Amino acid sequence: MSLYPPYPPFFGFAGVASAMVLSTVGTLFGTAKAGIGIAGLGTFKPELIMKSLIPIVMSGIITVYGLIVSVLISSALTPTFYPLVAGFIHLAAGLACGFTGLTAGYTISVVGDSCMCAYVYESKVFASIVLILIFAEVLGLYELIMALIMNSKVMGLEVC
Amino acid sequence: MGYYSYGLPPFVVVVIALYILLTGSGEAFNVGRFLEESSPYAWAATGIGLCIGLSVLGAGWGIFITGSSILGGGVRAPRISTKNLISIIFCEVVAIYGVIIGIVYSAKLGEFVPEAHLYTRENYFTGFALFWGGLTVGACNLLCGLCVGITGSTAALSDAADPNLFVKILVVEVFGSILGLFGLITGLLMVSQASDFSAASSLASPLVSVA
């Protein structure tokens, strides 16, 4: 058992993959479910469709967060000098990013779908729709913050 | 009956694992040794297979979700059938992404390296990179195909209800199709630092050590 085994990139790449894939699952929920809500709204009031694209854009931002984290982690992966602790930290950062993005996307999907049902009948609820969606989007921002903090720990590792 | 079919296999696995652990053979659960002794070619080939397989699965799933809605809506509103083929094309593009990445990854396999010179750090890195890259691209394309399929089905039925809605719901579908593109970017970035499989100059095998 050596100090620098060759298999830590397995865990590092697992972090990259989970950050990207799980954030994409969140965006899938958000885009599909909110899109169905928008189509329902557009059948009755087509002039409101452009304003109600906000949940779709916010779901897309969740994937961008996952993309940022996966690009950051994969740029730090090298075959030489990659200690096991770096692999585990990258795996943790990727999982944190991914599961948070999954949750944020699912939240945006449910909120967006039900908000579109309300928006058809009462157009004054738009301000509260945007507020609720912002709170859901901030969950996705937490994923980015957490992954960035963990990734910065890897930068400070030194040869022992 | 659910208890026997869902509970019995995990129970058997746990009993066997505990037996191995408690009778002094706990070293068998050595994850590091498994990763060191498994061939990098196995990881790389599995990744390439998953990449193309999952991408095509996503494309096909999206196509049948959209297609069934187009055909169903086309019964009462036949005008929608030609315009909504663009949703099918969006789904097909997802499969093309998988093919592209599969070809790029296959080029990294390079020439055949014999087993005795295979197990270098760079080859381990390439094997793991191709596996997780292929899985990322395949899964992202699967999810993108699903997303485009659901929103394409929504667009077809909205078009059948009101022709002015099609272009506006198509915007939602474009937002869905960028998921596959992001997966492609991530897959390409993951293997950018991985070199082709190359032979070591001396003996490099985890099972035989050179004194």
mmCIF file of all heavy atoms in Angstrom, chain B residues 39-87:
data_model
loop_
_atom_site.group_PDB
_atom_site.id
_atom_site.type_symbol
_atom_site.label_atom_id
_atom_site.label_comp_id
_atom_site.label_asym_id
_atom_site.label_seq_id
_atom_site.Cartn_x
_atom_site.Cartn_y
_atom_site.Cartn_z
ATOM 1 N N SER B 39 -8.724 -4.025 -15.168
ATOM 2 C CA SER B 39 -8.010 -3.510 -16.329
ATOM 3 C C SER B 39 -8.552 -2.150 -16.739
ATOM 4 O O SER B 39 -9.763 -1.952 -16.791
ATOM 5 C CB SER B 39 -8.160 -4.493 -17.487
ATOM 6 O OG SER B 39 -7.719 -3.907 -18.682
ATOM 7 N N PRO B 40 -7.680 -1.182 -17.046
ATOM 8 C CA PRO B 40 -8.172 0.106 -17.549
ATOM 9 C C PRO B 40 -8.960 -0.023 -18.839
ATOM 10 O O PRO B 40 -9.837 0.789 -19.112
ATOM 11 C CB PRO B 40 -6.892 0.922 -17.769
ATOM 12 C CG PRO B 40 -5.914 0.316 -16.844
ATOM 13 C CD PRO B 40 -6.237 -1.135 -16.787
ATOM 14 N N TYR B 41 -8.632 -1.061 -19.629
ATOM 15 C CA TYR B 41 -9.418 -1.266 -20.846
ATOM 16 C C TYR B 41 -10.868 -1.574 -20.521
ATOM 17 O O TYR B 41 -11.773 -1.192 -21.258
ATOM 18 C CB TYR B 41 -8.831 -2.414 -21.670
ATOM 19 C CG TYR B 41 -7.676 -2.024 -22.559
ATOM 20 C CD1 TYR B 41 -6.463 -2.687 -22.490
ATOM 21 C CD2 TYR B 41 -7.813 -1.007 -23.491
ATOM 22 C CE1 TYR B 41 -5.411 -2.344 -23.307
ATOM 23 C CE2 TYR B 41 -6.768 -0.650 -24.307
ATOM 24 C CZ TYR B 41 -5.567 -1.323 -24.218
ATOM 25 O OH TYR B 41 -4.526 -0.970 -25.027
ATOM 26 N N ALA B 42 -11.112 -2.291 -19.408
ATOM 27 C CA ALA B 42 -12.490 -2.614 -19.037
ATOM 28 C C ALA B 42 -13.275 -1.360 -18.716
ATOM 29 O O ALA B 42 -14.407 -1.167 -19.178
ATOM 30 C CB ALA B 42 -12.490 -3.566 -17.842
ATOM 31 N N TRP B 43 -12.656 -0.480 -17.930
ATOM 32 C CA TRP B 43 -13.335 0.760 -17.582
ATOM 33 C C TRP B 43 -13.601 1.599 -18.831
ATOM 34 O O TRP B 43 -14.687 2.126 -19.040
ATOM 35 C CB TRP B 43 -12.495 1.571 -16.599
ATOM 36 C CG TRP B 43 -12.370 0.976 -15.248
ATOM 37 C CD1 TRP B 43 -11.261 0.466 -14.669
ATOM 38 C CD2 TRP B 43 -13.408 0.861 -14.269
ATOM 39 N NE1 TRP B 43 -11.536 0.032 -13.406
ATOM 40 C CE2 TRP B 43 -12.842 0.257 -13.138
ATOM 41 C CE3 TRP B 43 -14.760 1.206 -14.245
ATOM 42 C CZ2 TRP B 43 -13.563 -0.013 -11.984
ATOM 43 C CZ3 TRP B 43 -15.488 0.940 -13.099
ATOM 44 C CH2 TRP B 43 -14.884 0.332 -11.992
ATOM 45 N N ALA B 44 -12.581 1.736 -19.697
ATOM 46 C CA ALA B 44 -12.718 2.584 -20.887
ATOM 47 C C ALA B 44 -13.800 2.048 -21.809
ATOM 48 O O ALA B 44 -14.652 2.795 -22.307
ATOM 49 C CB ALA B 44 -11.385 2.663 -21.626
ATOM 50 N N ALA B 45 -13.776 0.737 -22.049
ATOM 51 C CA ALA B 45 -14.751 0.179 -22.982
ATOM 52 C C ALA B 45 -16.171 0.275 -22.434
ATOM 53 O O ALA B 45 -17.119 0.548 -23.173
ATOM 54 C CB ALA B 45 -14.389 -1.280 -23.266
ATOM 55 N N THR B 46 -16.304 0.053 -21.107
ATOM 56 C CA THR B 46 -17.640 0.196 -20.501
ATOM 57 C C THR B 46 -18.147 1.625 -20.656
ATOM 58 O O THR B 46 -19.328 1.844 -20.952
ATOM 59 C CB THR B 46 -17.575 -0.165 -19.012
ATOM 60 O OG1 THR B 46 -16.974 -1.432 -18.874
ATOM 61 C CG2 THR B 46 -18.945 -0.181 -18.405
ATOM 62 N N GLY B 47 -17.239 2.593 -20.468
ATOM 63 C CA GLY B 47 -17.659 3.986 -20.617
ATOM 64 C C GLY B 47 -18.132 4.310 -22.011
ATOM 65 O O GLY B 47 -19.143 4.985 -22.196
ATOM 66 N N ILE B 48 -17.400 3.817 -22.999
ATOM 67 C CA ILE B 48 -17.791 4.100 -24.384
ATOM 68 C C ILE B 48 -19.135 3.441 -24.689
ATOM 69 O O ILE B 48 -20.024 4.036 -25.321
ATOM 70 C CB ILE B 48 -16.702 3.612 -25.359
ATOM 71 C CG1 ILE B 48 -15.407 4.387 -25.127
ATOM 72 C CG2 ILE B 48 -17.144 3.764 -26.790
ATOM 73 C CD1 ILE B 48 -14.236 3.855 -25.893
ATOM 74 N N GLY B 49 -19.308 2.208 -24.211
ATOM 75 C CA GLY B 49 -20.574 1.535 -24.442
ATOM 76 C C GLY B 49 -21.741 2.248 -23.790
ATOM 77 O O GLY B 49 -22.814 2.415 -24.369
ATOM 78 N N LEU B 50 -21.530 2.700 -22.544
ATOM 79 C CA LEU B 50 -22.593 3.429 -21.849
ATOM 80 C C LEU B 50 -22.903 4.735 -22.554
ATOM 81 O O LEU B 50 -24.065 5.133 -22.641
ATOM 82 C CB LEU B 50 -22.170 3.715 -20.412
ATOM 83 C CG LEU B 50 -22.323 2.563 -19.440
ATOM 84 C CD1 LEU B 50 -21.736 2.969 -18.101
ATOM 85 C CD2 LEU B 50 -23.777 2.212 -19.269
ATOM 86 N N CYS B 51 -21.863 5.406 -23.053
ATOM 87 C CA CYS B 51 -22.062 6.688 -23.720
ATOM 88 C C CYS B 51 -23.030 6.538 -24.876
ATOM 89 O O CYS B 51 -24.070 7.197 -24.935
ATOM 90 C CB CYS B 51 -20.708 7.217 -24.192
ATOM 91 S SG CYS B 51 -20.795 8.582 -25.316
ATOM 92 N N ILE B 52 -22.723 5.645 -25.800
ATOM 93 C CA ILE B 52 -23.573 5.533 -26.984
ATOM 94 C C ILE B 52 -24.908 4.879 -26.627
ATOM 95 O O ILE B 52 -25.966 5.282 -27.134
ATOM 96 C CB ILE B 52 -22.817 4.782 -28.116
ATOM 97 C CG1 ILE B 52 -23.661 4.732 -29.371
ATOM 98 C CG2 ILE B 52 -22.397 3.421 -27.713
ATOM 99 C CD1 ILE B 52 -23.889 6.061 -29.989
ATOM 100 N N GLY B 53 -24.871 3.922 -25.695
ATOM 101 C CA GLY B 53 -26.107 3.223 -25.373
ATOM 102 C C GLY B 53 -27.132 4.121 -24.712
ATOM 103 O O GLY B 53 -28.301 4.170 -25.103
ATOM 104 N N LEU B 54 -26.696 4.867 -23.691
ATOM 105 C CA LEU B 54 -27.629 5.729 -22.975
ATOM 106 C C LEU B 54 -28.084 6.900 -23.838
ATOM 107 O O LEU B 54 -29.233 7.339 -23.742
ATOM 108 C CB LEU B 54 -26.990 6.246 -21.690
ATOM 109 C CG LEU B 54 -26.747 5.208 -20.611
ATOM 110 C CD1 LEU B 54 -26.041 5.851 -19.428
ATOM 111 C CD2 LEU B 54 -28.047 4.594 -20.152
ATOM 112 N N SER B 55 -27.187 7.419 -24.710
ATOM 113 C CA SER B 55 -27.595 8.529 -25.576
ATOM 114 C C SER B 55 -28.695 8.089 -26.523
ATOM 115 O O SER B 55 -29.697 8.795 -26.721
ATOM 116 C CB SER B 55 -26.412 9.031 -26.397
ATOM 117 O OG SER B 55 -25.375 9.436 -25.575
ATOM 118 N N VAL B 56 -28.516 6.921 -27.120
ATOM 119 C CA VAL B 56 -29.526 6.456 -28.074
ATOM 120 C C VAL B 56 -30.819 6.117 -27.337
ATOM 121 O O VAL B 56 -31.922 6.348 -27.850
ATOM 122 C CB VAL B 56 -28.973 5.259 -28.866
ATOM 123 C CG1 VAL B 56 -30.038 4.627 -29.712
ATOM 124 C CG2 VAL B 56 -27.830 5.704 -29.739
ATOM 125 N N LEU B 57 -30.686 5.609 -26.103
ATOM 126 C CA LEU B 57 -31.885 5.348 -25.300
ATOM 127 C C LEU B 57 -32.656 6.631 -25.062
ATOM 128 O O LEU B 57 -33.880 6.678 -25.223
ATOM 129 C CB LEU B 57 -31.473 4.719 -23.974
ATOM 130 C CG LEU B 57 -32.569 4.435 -22.958
ATOM 131 C CD1 LEU B 57 -33.528 3.413 -23.479
ATOM 132 C CD2 LEU B 57 -31.957 3.966 -21.653
ATOM 133 N N GLY B 58 -31.935 7.712 -24.723
ATOM 134 C CA GLY B 58 -32.602 8.994 -24.517
ATOM 135 C C GLY B 58 -33.250 9.514 -25.776
ATOM 136 O O GLY B 58 -34.386 10.011 -25.753
ATOM 137 N N ALA B 59 -32.551 9.405 -26.891
ATOM 138 C CA ALA B 59 -33.116 9.878 -28.152
ATOM 139 C C ALA B 59 -34.371 9.091 -28.518
ATOM 140 O O ALA B 59 -35.395 9.658 -28.905
ATOM 141 C CB ALA B 59 -32.071 9.761 -29.264
ATOM 142 N N GLY B 60 -34.296 7.768 -28.371
ATOM 143 C CA GLY B 60 -35.452 6.965 -28.724
ATOM 144 C C GLY B 60 -36.644 7.227 -27.823
ATOM 145 O O GLY B 60 -37.790 7.301 -28.270
ATOM 146 N N TRP B 61 -36.370 7.380 -26.533
ATOM 147 C CA TRP B 61 -37.445 7.656 -25.575
ATOM 148 C C TRP B 61 -38.131 8.972 -25.925
ATOM 149 O O TRP B 61 -39.361 9.057 -25.968
ATOM 150 C CB TRP B 61 -36.834 7.733 -24.177
ATOM 151 C CG TRP B 61 -37.751 7.497 -23.043
ATOM 152 C CD1 TRP B 61 -39.091 7.670 -23.000
ATOM 153 C CD2 TRP B 61 -37.362 7.062 -21.746
ATOM 154 N NE1 TRP B 61 -39.567 7.364 -21.770
ATOM 155 C CE2 TRP B 61 -38.523 6.995 -20.969
ATOM 156 C CE3 TRP B 61 -36.127 6.735 -21.167
ATOM 157 C CZ2 TRP B 61 -38.501 6.607 -19.643
ATOM 158 C CZ3 TRP B 61 -36.108 6.357 -19.848
ATOM 159 C CH2 TRP B 61 -37.283 6.290 -19.098
ATOM 160 N N GLY B 62 -37.306 10.020 -26.220
ATOM 161 C CA GLY B 62 -37.880 11.314 -26.593
ATOM 162 C C GLY B 62 -38.687 11.229 -27.861
ATOM 163 O O GLY B 62 -39.759 11.825 -27.978
ATOM 164 N N ILE B 63 -38.177 10.442 -28.832
ATOM 165 C CA ILE B 63 -38.887 10.349 -30.107
ATOM 166 C C ILE B 63 -40.235 9.686 -29.923
ATOM 167 O O ILE B 63 -41.247 10.129 -30.499
ATOM 168 C CB ILE B 63 -38.022 9.605 -31.152
ATOM 169 C CG1 ILE B 63 -36.834 10.472 -31.567
ATOM 170 C CG2 ILE B 63 -38.838 9.254 -32.375
ATOM 171 C CD1 ILE B 63 -35.913 9.821 -32.549
ATOM 172 N N PHE B 64 -40.304 8.626 -29.089
ATOM 173 C CA PHE B 64 -41.627 8.003 -28.997
ATOM 174 C C PHE B 64 -42.593 8.803 -28.157
ATOM 175 O O PHE B 64 -43.801 8.764 -28.394
ATOM 176 C CB PHE B 64 -41.551 6.522 -28.614
ATOM 177 C CG PHE B 64 -41.419 6.162 -27.163
ATOM 178 C CD1 PHE B 64 -42.400 6.483 -26.241
ATOM 179 C CD2 PHE B 64 -40.338 5.428 -26.748
ATOM 180 C CE1 PHE B 64 -42.293 6.106 -24.925
ATOM 181 C CE2 PHE B 64 -40.227 5.037 -25.425
ATOM 182 C CZ PHE B 64 -41.194 5.376 -24.515
ATOM 183 N N ILE B 65 -42.081 9.582 -27.178
ATOM 184 C CA ILE B 65 -42.989 10.451 -26.431
ATOM 185 C C ILE B 65 -43.572 11.517 -27.361
ATOM 186 O O ILE B 65 -44.790 11.758 -27.386
ATOM 187 C CB ILE B 65 -42.240 11.117 -25.255
ATOM 188 C CG1 ILE B 65 -41.855 10.088 -24.211
ATOM 189 C CG2 ILE B 65 -43.082 12.183 -24.620
ATOM 190 C CD1 ILE B 65 -41.052 10.671 -23.076
ATOM 191 N N THR B 66 -42.672 12.164 -28.148
ATOM 192 C CA THR B 66 -43.146 13.224 -29.039
ATOM 193 C C THR B 66 -43.996 12.665 -30.159
ATOM 194 O O THR B 66 -45.041 13.220 -30.517
ATOM 195 C CB THR B 66 -41.939 13.964 -29.637
ATOM 196 O OG1 THR B 66 -41.080 14.354 -28.592
ATOM 197 C CG2 THR B 66 -42.372 15.181 -30.398
ATOM 198 N N GLY B 67 -43.514 11.549 -30.726
ATOM 199 C CA GLY B 67 -44.197 11.010 -31.904
ATOM 200 C C GLY B 67 -45.611 10.581 -31.617
ATOM 201 O O GLY B 67 -46.519 10.804 -32.418
ATOM 202 N N SER B 68 -45.813 9.969 -30.444
ATOM 203 C CA SER B 68 -47.167 9.520 -30.149
ATOM 204 C C SER B 68 -48.106 10.700 -29.969
ATOM 205 O O SER B 68 -49.263 10.652 -30.375
ATOM 206 C CB SER B 68 -47.178 8.626 -28.924
ATOM 207 O OG SER B 68 -46.486 9.219 -27.874
ATOM 208 N N SER B 69 -47.571 11.814 -29.397
ATOM 209 C CA SER B 69 -48.431 12.999 -29.244
ATOM 210 C C SER B 69 -48.716 13.655 -30.578
ATOM 211 O O SER B 69 -49.824 14.139 -30.816
ATOM 212 C CB SER B 69 -47.764 14.009 -28.317
ATOM 213 O OG SER B 69 -47.695 13.517 -27.029
ATOM 214 N N ILE B 70 -47.710 13.694 -31.463
ATOM 215 C CA ILE B 70 -47.928 14.311 -32.781
ATOM 216 C C ILE B 70 -48.986 13.526 -33.538
ATOM 217 O O ILE B 70 -49.910 14.089 -34.149
ATOM 218 C CB ILE B 70 -46.610 14.368 -33.588
ATOM 219 C CG1 ILE B 70 -45.614 15.316 -32.929
ATOM 220 C CG2 ILE B 70 -46.869 14.801 -35.008
ATOM 221 C CD1 ILE B 70 -44.283 15.335 -33.610
ATOM 222 N N LEU B 71 -48.843 12.187 -33.492
ATOM 223 C CA LEU B 71 -49.801 11.382 -34.248
ATOM 224 C C LEU B 71 -51.180 11.454 -33.637
ATOM 225 O O LEU B 71 -52.181 11.491 -34.349
ATOM 226 C CB LEU B 71 -49.309 9.931 -34.292
ATOM 227 C CG LEU B 71 -48.034 9.745 -35.100
ATOM 228 C CD1 LEU B 71 -47.483 8.354 -34.898
ATOM 229 C CD2 LEU B 71 -48.314 9.997 -36.565
ATOM 230 N N GLY B 72 -51.245 11.504 -32.303
ATOM 231 C CA GLY B 72 -52.552 11.614 -31.677
ATOM 232 C C GLY B 72 -53.222 12.935 -31.959
ATOM 233 O O GLY B 72 -54.406 12.990 -32.293
ATOM 234 N N GLY B 73 -52.445 14.030 -31.847
ATOM 235 C CA GLY B 73 -53.008 15.342 -32.150
ATOM 236 C C GLY B 73 -53.316 15.521 -33.616
ATOM 237 O O GLY B 73 -54.207 16.279 -33.983
ATOM 238 N N GLY B 74 -52.568 14.815 -34.468
ATOM 239 C CA GLY B 74 -52.756 14.953 -35.904
ATOM 240 C C GLY B 74 -54.043 14.347 -36.412
ATOM 241 O O GLY B 74 -54.429 14.568 -37.560
ATOM 242 N N VAL B 75 -54.709 13.559 -35.564
ATOM 243 C CA VAL B 75 -55.986 12.980 -35.993
ATOM 244 C C VAL B 75 -57.017 14.079 -36.199
ATOM 245 O O VAL B 75 -57.705 14.125 -37.216
ATOM 246 C CB VAL B 75 -56.466 11.964 -34.939
ATOM 247 C CG1 VAL B 75 -57.896 11.544 -35.207
ATOM 248 C CG2 VAL B 75 -55.562 10.750 -34.941
ATOM 249 N N ARG B 76 -57.072 15.010 -35.229
ATOM 250 C CA ARG B 76 -58.065 16.080 -35.335
ATOM 251 C C ARG B 76 -57.502 17.327 -36.010
ATOM 252 O O ARG B 76 -58.247 18.163 -36.472
ATOM 253 C CB ARG B 76 -58.581 16.443 -33.929
ATOM 254 C CG ARG B 76 -59.290 15.304 -33.245
ATOM 255 C CD ARG B 76 -60.571 14.990 -33.963
ATOM 256 N NE ARG B 76 -61.544 16.052 -33.783
ATOM 257 C CZ ARG B 76 -62.464 16.052 -32.807
ATOM 258 N NH1 ARG B 76 -62.509 15.068 -31.948
ATOM 259 N NH2 ARG B 76 -63.305 17.049 -32.694
ATOM 260 N N ALA B 77 -56.177 17.482 -36.003
ATOM 261 C CA ALA B 77 -55.566 18.686 -36.601
ATOM 262 C C ALA B 77 -54.388 18.250 -37.456
ATOM 263 O O ALA B 77 -53.232 18.335 -37.039
ATOM 264 C CB ALA B 77 -55.113 19.643 -35.495
ATOM 265 N N PRO B 78 -54.617 17.781 -38.669
ATOM 266 C CA PRO B 78 -53.525 17.229 -39.481
ATOM 267 C C PRO B 78 -52.462 18.242 -39.860
ATOM 268 O O PRO B 78 -51.360 17.860 -40.245
ATOM 269 C CB PRO B 78 -54.239 16.723 -40.740
ATOM 270 C CG PRO B 78 -55.679 16.680 -40.420
ATOM 271 C CD PRO B 78 -55.921 17.676 -39.341
ATOM 272 N N ARG B 79 -52.743 19.527 -39.704
ATOM 273 C CA ARG B 79 -51.748 20.524 -40.096
ATOM 274 C C ARG B 79 -50.514 20.491 -39.210
ATOM 275 O O ARG B 79 -49.474 21.018 -39.575
ATOM 276 C CB ARG B 79 -52.374 21.912 -40.018
ATOM 277 C CG ARG B 79 -52.911 22.196 -38.649
ATOM 278 C CD ARG B 79 -53.551 23.555 -38.508
ATOM 279 N NE ARG B 79 -54.331 23.582 -37.285
ATOM 280 C CZ ARG B 79 -53.794 23.731 -36.080
ATOM 281 N NH1 ARG B 79 -52.492 23.883 -35.960
ATOM 282 N NH2 ARG B 79 -54.552 23.724 -35.002
ATOM 283 N N ILE B 80 -50.587 19.887 -38.016
ATOM 284 C CA ILE B 80 -49.442 19.962 -37.105
ATOM 285 C C ILE B 80 -48.342 18.980 -37.466
ATOM 286 O O ILE B 80 -47.235 19.078 -36.966
ATOM 287 C CB ILE B 80 -49.851 19.702 -35.641
ATOM 288 C CG1 ILE B 80 -50.212 18.235 -35.419
ATOM 289 C CG2 ILE B 80 -50.962 20.612 -35.224
ATOM 290 C CD1 ILE B 80 -50.289 17.883 -33.969
ATOM 291 N N SER B 81 -48.632 18.012 -38.339
ATOM 292 C CA SER B 81 -47.692 16.900 -38.458
ATOM 293 C C SER B 81 -46.362 17.295 -39.074
ATOM 294 O O SER B 81 -45.324 16.835 -38.636
ATOM 295 C CB SER B 81 -48.322 15.754 -39.238
ATOM 296 O OG SER B 81 -49.083 16.257 -40.299
ATOM 297 N N THR B 82 -46.333 18.177 -40.048
ATOM 298 C CA THR B 82 -45.042 18.501 -40.662
ATOM 299 C C THR B 82 -44.233 19.468 -39.812
ATOM 300 O O THR B 82 -43.019 19.319 -39.670
ATOM 301 C CB THR B 82 -45.257 19.128 -42.049
ATOM 302 O OG1 THR B 82 -46.370 20.023 -41.974
ATOM 303 C CG2 THR B 82 -45.527 18.068 -43.080
ATOM 304 N N LYS B 83 -44.896 20.446 -39.196
ATOM 305 C CA LYS B 83 -44.139 21.445 -38.441
ATOM 306 C C LYS B 83 -43.521 20.839 -37.190
ATOM 307 O O LYS B 83 -42.428 21.235 -36.772
ATOM 308 C CB LYS B 83 -45.082 22.601 -38.059
ATOM 309 C CG LYS B 83 -44.344 23.890 -37.799
ATOM 310 C CD LYS B 83 -45.235 25.101 -37.897
ATOM 311 C CE LYS B 83 -46.458 25.019 -37.047
ATOM 312 N NZ LYS B 83 -47.005 26.366 -36.713
ATOM 313 N N ASN B 84 -44.189 19.862 -36.589
ATOM 314 C CA ASN B 84 -43.696 19.325 -35.328
ATOM 315 C C ASN B 84 -42.610 18.291 -35.504
ATOM 316 O O ASN B 84 -42.091 17.775 -34.518
ATOM 317 C CB ASN B 84 -44.849 18.708 -34.537
ATOM 318 C CG ASN B 84 -45.647 19.781 -33.845
ATOM 319 O OD1 ASN B 84 -45.274 20.238 -32.792
ATOM 320 N ND2 ASN B 84 -46.731 20.178 -34.467
ATOM 321 N N LEU B 85 -42.237 17.984 -36.750
ATOM 322 C CA LEU B 85 -41.108 17.074 -36.928
ATOM 323 C C LEU B 85 -39.817 17.681 -36.410
ATOM 324 O O LEU B 85 -38.829 16.967 -36.201
ATOM 325 C CB LEU B 85 -40.957 16.703 -38.398
ATOM 326 C CG LEU B 85 -42.010 15.748 -38.940
ATOM 327 C CD1 LEU B 85 -41.798 15.488 -40.403
ATOM 328 C CD2 LEU B 85 -41.969 14.447 -38.178
ATOM 329 N N ILE B 86 -39.813 18.986 -36.172
ATOM 330 C CA ILE B 86 -38.600 19.597 -35.657
ATOM 331 C C ILE B 86 -38.302 19.106 -34.239
ATOM 332 O O ILE B 86 -37.139 19.025 -33.835
ATOM 333 C CB ILE B 86 -38.710 21.134 -35.722
ATOM 334 C CG1 ILE B 86 -37.332 21.760 -35.639
ATOM 335 C CG2 ILE B 86 -39.599 21.697 -34.636
ATOM 336 C CD1 ILE B 86 -37.333 23.215 -35.931
ATOM 337 N N SER B 87 -39.339 18.743 -33.509
ATOM 338 C CA SER B 87 -39.106 18.185 -32.174
ATOM 339 C C SER B 87 -38.419 16.835 -32.276
ATOM 340 O O SER B 87 -37.548 16.503 -31.466
ATOM 341 C CB SER B 87 -40.427 18.005 -31.434
ATOM 342 O OG SER B 87 -41.143 19.188 -31.437
#
